[in-house]
């Protein structure tokens, strides 16, 4: 039915119906059933359907679809504005798509090809379900017409694959290529475009397989031979990258083992938390050579000045170095206007595993402090508290009091 006829029918229905006023006595009360709004005739059967049956019917309506690919009504919608057979309409969309493709309007070309596919794929689905397809006069399609429809559909898939390749929709490209090959296993273009798309996302084995399939059909095909060469080249690059990655992983594992052994040999305790600080490339390491077990250890360290709420970061504090070695270039501190922080005027402490404090001599090597087993290196960072001597005792008492309160609260 055309839109004009639907409009005319709607106008007639609006002009019909009862015009007399309700003459029912006011004392008569309508029943509960009578007060329910009546369903339109076409929806009346829904009263007797289950929820799943209603949803299945709704899925056939374009506005409520959840399974677009297998809905035959889409194909019918695409052909509403066009007269002619499915083959004629599908071929027309193919021609229009070709025109857009020639001027590199790939998105427009893809849409034209898609419309043609919806029409002809709809015919294929009907036949796959055992339904007969017919011409406009109702006569069954001949084998010749069916073959022509399939050839046109195959071309539409291959052409849309070319659009997807240009638009870098690689998965859609090889999906369309596969659809074309199901219709015609000898389609060389489908093999080529699928191989190119698979290669673009480094699915080398699949690209090589589909390319070999095409070359088995036409060993001298230049585009296929070109993509085959690109597959070999890319496979070589990826293989080199995999070997380099494996070598790096093996090197990292070897260094981690050496580091763990070095820490154990020195009786240095370590612990990692769930949220380690961001330190870029700073970490505990063997220096000068990480692969040499004879190298010494170096630790990132934070010099904390709790009385002034300031800090300094030492990227590599060697195990044989002393605190004095680093304070010698850190002092004088730019913010210490009172001149309280001098080598002779400060004391240093490190926290122990039990939550106490261990006084750290400024001329004592770091290894001697960490090797006691009383100190723990947390998240690969050595934390050292530095205070003016005249303020150290008060701070130590406050620190211990806070730790005691924390243990009591826990």
């Amino acid at each position: 039915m055309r839109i004009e006829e639907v409009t005319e029918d709607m106008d007639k229905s609006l002009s019909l119906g009862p015009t007399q006023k309700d003459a029912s006595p006011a004392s008569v009360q309508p029943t509960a059933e009578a007060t329910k709004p009546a369903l339109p005739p076409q929806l009346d059967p829904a009263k007797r359907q289950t929820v799943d049956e209603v949803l299945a019917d709704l899925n056939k309506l374009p506005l409520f679809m959840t399974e677009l690919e297998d809905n035959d009504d889409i194909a019918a919608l695409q052909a509403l504005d066009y007269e002619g057979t499915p083959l004629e309409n599908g071929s027309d969309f193919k021609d229009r798509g070709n025109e857009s493709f020639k001027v590199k309007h790939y998105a427009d070309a893809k849409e034209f090809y898609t419309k043609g596919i919806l029409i002809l794929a709809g015919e294929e689905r009907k036949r796959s379900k055992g339904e007969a397809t017919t011409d406009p006069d109702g006569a069954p399609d001949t084998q010749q017409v069916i073959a022509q429809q399939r050839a046109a559909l195959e071309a539409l898939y291959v052409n849309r694959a070319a659009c997807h390749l240009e638009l870098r929709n690689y998965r859609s490209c090889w999906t369309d290529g596969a659809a074309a090959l199901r219709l015609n296993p000898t389609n060389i273009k489908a093999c080529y475009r699928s191989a190119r798309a698979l290669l673009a996302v480094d699915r080398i084995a699949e690209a090589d397989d589909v390319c070999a399939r095409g070359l088995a059909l036409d060993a001298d095909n230049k585009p296929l031979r070109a993509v085959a060469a690109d597959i070999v080249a890319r496979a070589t690059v990826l293989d080199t990258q995999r070997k380099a990655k494996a070598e790096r992983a093996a090197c990292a594992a070897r260094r981690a083992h050496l580091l763990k052994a070095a820490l154990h040999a020195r009786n240095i305790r370590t612990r990692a938390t769930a949220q380690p600080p961001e330190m870029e490339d700073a970490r505990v390491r063997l220096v000068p050579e990480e692969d040499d077990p004879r190298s010494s250890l170096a630790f990132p360290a934070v010099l904390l000045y709790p009385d002034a709420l300031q800090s300094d970061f030492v990227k590599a504090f060697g195990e044989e170095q002393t605190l004095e070695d680093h304070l010698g270039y850190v002092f004088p501190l730019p913010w210490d206007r009172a001149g309280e922080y001098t080598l002779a005027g400060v004391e240093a402490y490190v926290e122990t595993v039990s939550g106490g404090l261990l006084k750290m001599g400024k001329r004592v090597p770091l290894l001697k402090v960490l090797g006691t087993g009383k100190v723990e290196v947390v998240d690969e960072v050595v934390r050292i508290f530095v205070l003016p001597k005249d303020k150290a005792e008060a701070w130590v008492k406050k620190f211990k009091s806070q730790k005691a309160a924390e243990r009591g609260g826990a």
Side-chain angles (χ1 to χ4, degrees):
M1 184 181 292
R2 294 179 302 175
I3 293 175
E4 294 85 351
E5 294 172 345
V6 174
T7 305
E8 183 179 351
D9 289 343
M10 290 177 63
D11 291 340
K12 290 178 179 178
S13 65
L14 290 173
S15 65
L16 298 176
T19 56
Q20 66 275 19
K21 295 182 179 179
D22 188 357
S24 301
S27 60
V28 178
Q29 298 295 327
T31 64
E33 185 66 23
T35 60
K36 292 183 179 179
L39 288 172
Q42 65 270 29
L43 292 182
D44 190 65
K47 293 189 295 183
R48 298 181 296 276
Q49 290 180 306
T50 66
V51 172
D52 289 339
E53 289 172 339
V54 171
L55 290 176
D57 284 346
L58 286 177
N59 192 55
K60 296 179 181 179
L61 301 176
L63 292 178
F64 296 92
M65 286 176 188
T66 58
E67 299 174 359
L68 188 61
E69 286 187 354
D70 296 328
N71 199 298
D72 294 341
D73 291 344
I74 283 291
L77 283 176
Q78 299 298 329
L80 274 179
D81 295 332
Y82 300 90
E83 296 181 356
T85 65
L87 176 60
E88 291 170 342
N89 291 332
S91 298
D92 178 60
F93 281 126
K94 179 171 71 72
D95 293 339
R96 295 169 68 178
N98 291 346
E99 292 171 3
S100 295
F101 191 91
K102 288 177 182 177
V103 293
K104 299 184 179 182
H105 293 171
Y106 303 121
D108 292 339
K110 177 176 71 71
E111 293 304 315
F112 285 127
Y113 294 141
T114 297
K115 290 179 179 179
I117 287 170
L118 286 169
I119 294 171
L120 295 177
E123 298 297 294
E124 275 296 295
R125 282 196 294 273
K126 290 178 184 177
R127 288 189 284 267
S128 69
K129 295 175 182 178
E131 301 175 15
T133 56
T134 61
D135 62 20
D137 296 327
D141 286 335
T142 64
Q143 289 301 314
Q144 181 181 4
V145 169
I146 293 173
Q148 289 174 339
Q149 286 183 358
R150 287 176 175 166
L153 180 58
E154 174 192 347
L156 284 162
Y157 276 128
V158 171
N159 290 359
R160 191 170 69 172
C163 294
H164 285 309
L165 191 60
E166 294 291 345
L167 295 170
R168 300 184 181 182
N169 302 330
Y170 298 122
R171 182 180 180 83
S172 296
C173 177
W174 74 64
T175 299
D176 277 351
L181 288 170
R182 282 195 293 271
L183 290 166
N184 177 11
T186 65
N187 192 302
I188 299 295
K189 289 182 179 179
C191 292
Y192 169 76
R193 288 164 188 169
S194 297
R196 275 289 175 205
L198 290 163
L199 175 60
V201 294
D202 288 337
R203 296 177 69 158
I204 301 300
E206 294 163 279
D208 184 56
D209 181 69
V210 72
C211 184
R213 177 176 178 171
L215 287 172
L217 299 169
D218 183 0
D220 297 324
N221 187 276
K222 289 184 178 180
L224 276 174
R225 291 175 69 87
V227 75
D230 290 342
I231 290 171
V232 172
R234 183 58 180 165
T236 302
V237 170
L238 292 177
D239 186 55
T240 301
Q241 291 176 350
R242 278 192 294 270
K243 288 180 179 177
K245 184 178 180 180
E247 186 176 341
R248 289 194 298 272
C251 179
R254 183 175 63 253
R255 289 179 176 180
H257 176 74
L258 288 174
L259 181 61
K260 184 177 180 180
L263 290 166
H264 180 73
R266 291 163 173 79
N267 194 36
I268 298 176
R269 302 177 63 165
T270 61
R271 176 168 60 89
T273 66
Q275 295 181 322
E278 177 58 49
M279 298 189 297
E280 297 182 353
D281 62 336
R283 56 185 174 82
V284 180
R285 66 179 70 199
L286 287 166
V287 293
E289 180 53 59
E290 292 189 75
D291 297 309
D292 187 350
R294 296 169 297 180
S295 295
S296 60
L297 287 169
F299 299 81
V302 176
L303 305 179
L304 299 165
Y305 312 105
D307 188 63
L309 301 179
Q310 297 286 347
S311 65
D312 282 313
F313 181 70
V314 178
K315 188 173 183 179
F317 198 134
E319 63 181 6
E320 296 300 330
Q321 291 179 321
T322 67
L323 180 59
E324 188 176 75
D325 292 333
H326 293 283
L327 292 181
Y329 66 80
V330 171
F331 290 165
L333 299 171
W335 44 264
D336 179 26
R337 297 184 179 181
E340 295 180 292
Y341 292 82
T342 63
L343 284 176
V346 296
E347 290 183 352
Y349 301 86
V350 289
E351 186 175 357
T352 64
V353 176
S354 61
L357 289 169
L358 177 67
K359 189 173 182 179
M360 180 179 181
K362 294 189 289 292
R363 295 184 179 180
V364 177
L366 180 63
L367 177 58
K368 189 172 182 179
V369 177
L370 298 181
T372 61
K374 298 178 180 179
V375 179
E376 197 172 47
V377 180
V378 181
D379 290 332
E380 301 193 51
V381 180
V382 177
R383 292 168 175 81
I384 304 171
F385 300 97
V386 181
L387 295 108
K389 286 184 177 180
D390 59 347
K391 297 180 179 179
E393 184 178 353
W395 178 82
V396 169
K397 289 181 179 179
K398 181 179 179 182
F399 181 91
K400 291 181 177 180
S401 175
Q402 289 176 342
K403 286 295 180 179
E406 289 174 5
R407 287 192 293 269

